[in-house]
Amino acid sequence: MSKDRWAAVDRYIGESLVRQGPALEAALKDSAAAGLPPINVSPAQGKFLHILARSLGARRILEVGTLGGYSTIWLASALPRGGRLISLELEKRHAEIAAKNLARAGLADSVEIRVGKAIESLPKLLAEKEGPFDLVFLDADKKGNPDYFKWALKLSREGTVIIVDNVVRDGAVIDASSKDESIRGVRKLNRVISSEDRVIATTLQTVGVKGYDGFTIALVSKE
Ligand code: SAH
Ligand code: DHB
Ligand code: MG
């Protein structure tokens, strides 16, 4: 089974079920034109995030890693009136492109992008009494995930769902001696999660247009 076939099936899913609208298409087009790396979630994954947010009735969403705002649009368009999404992004240029993409999608009023290192922005959110968030999506630098997850927990309540992207990486996650910072980040994240009584979690492996990877879904089950 090849990556070509996974990608072809993703295209089929895109045409048959996902059918992203013009705002999402334009966001991808403009992100590519601006030279942003094509590492956004796939359309099928984006719609999964959207459905998850809606089924949770999420009113407050936190995202770490905005890029051009593609996943942000999927998530923010799931919010009810008055709902809010805060997205943290290191690169000012990425945030500017995302802001334009969000404005075109009619979501400028519900989304706030904060530029800076996530590890500095997260404590500020807590200090400002932002949260608790109903849904958190961790998708920035993978090395930071163990720390981002700890902050996400502080910004959570019982019932909060935390999704972490890119946790399988072609299966490299099983290599305990990996020198790759991203893999080490995933393995450390899993130790953090498994030592946390408040959280239940699992990982789903995925294939598709982005290759072989996966995401972790964690539920904060106790205060
Ligand atoms: N969630 C996006 C993709 C995010 S790509 C989508 O699916 O559409 C990862 C993003 O994280 C990049 O824009 C990168 O600049 C940002 N990033 C990397 N390190 C970061 C850090 N330390 N703090 C905040 N953002 C960071
Ligand atoms: C990379 C980052 C991502 O968030 C992703 O979904 C795929 C790849 C990367 O940094 O290579
Ligand atoms: Mg990702």
Side-chain angles (χ1 to χ4, degrees):
M1 225 34 93
S2 67
K3 188 179 170 186
D4 285 353
R5 196 156 177 95
W6 303 337
V9 172
D10 247 348
R11 276 195 296 279
Y12 166 73
I13 295 168
E15 287 156 15
S16 57
L17 295 180
V18 174
R19 303 199 210 193
Q20 63 183 356
L24 284 157
E25 261 162 35
L28 288 183
K29 191 161 163 276
D30 284 11
S31 297
L36 265 51
I39 56 174
N40 49 274
V41 293
S42 71
Q45 291 167 340
K47 194 161 181 187
F48 168 77
L49 293 173
H50 176 96
I51 290 170
L52 180 68
R54 277 178 63 175
S55 46
L56 290 170
R59 300 185 60 84
R60 283 155 305 196
I61 300 177
L62 172 63
E63 176 177 70
V64 183
T66 319
L67 192 65
Y70 181 76
S71 55
T72 322
I73 294 174
W74 275 114
L75 285 165
S77 60
L79 288 167
R81 203 182 305 274
R84 275 187 73 220
L85 184 152
I86 297 179
S87 189
L88 309 182
E89 171 56 51
L90 177 64
E91 303 288 345
K92 189 161 174 280
R93 203 172 65 85
H94 295 184
E96 284 167 0
I97 292 160
K100 284 188 191 146
N101 287 334
L102 285 153
R104 180 172 38 211
L107 295 166
D109 291 344
S110 48
V111 177
E112 179 188 347
I113 304 171
R114 295 193 178 195
V115 177
K117 293 181 183 164
I119 201 58
E120 292 170 8
S121 301
L122 287 162
K124 283 184 200 148
L125 290 180
L126 194 69
E128 291 169 24
K129 300 203 172 2
E130 289 289 353
F133 293 93
D134 307 310
L135 176 61
V136 180
F137 180 47
L138 300 183
D139 193 23
D141 59 305
K142 313 310 167 189
K143 179 171 175 273
N145 274 336
D147 289 326
Y148 303 157
F149 190 89
K150 288 179 198 165
W151 281 104
L153 264 186
K154 291 187 213 285
L155 291 159
S156 293
R157 55 163 173 84
E158 186 173 353
T160 296
V161 169
I162 304 173
I163 304 275
V164 189
D165 197 21
N166 311 113
V167 297
V168 174
R169 292 292 177 120
D170 280 314
V173 65
I174 62 175
D175 181 1
S177 62
S178 177
K179 299 278 181 287
D180 181 325
E181 300 266 40
S182 300
I183 299 303
R184 294 169 77 92
V186 178
R187 292 182 62 90
K188 184 167 182 200
L189 171 67
N190 291 342
R191 292 195 293 276
V192 168
I193 293 176
S194 61
S195 68
E196 228 349 304
D197 291 341
R198 287 173 292 173
V199 176
I200 61 168
T202 187
T203 294
L204 292 179
Q205 303 187 66
T206 57
V207 294
V209 67
K210 294 186 71 185
Y212 168 34
D213 212 327
F215 55 87
T216 288
I217 178 162
L219 173 68
V220 181
S221 65
K222 277 189 270 177
E223 293 295 321

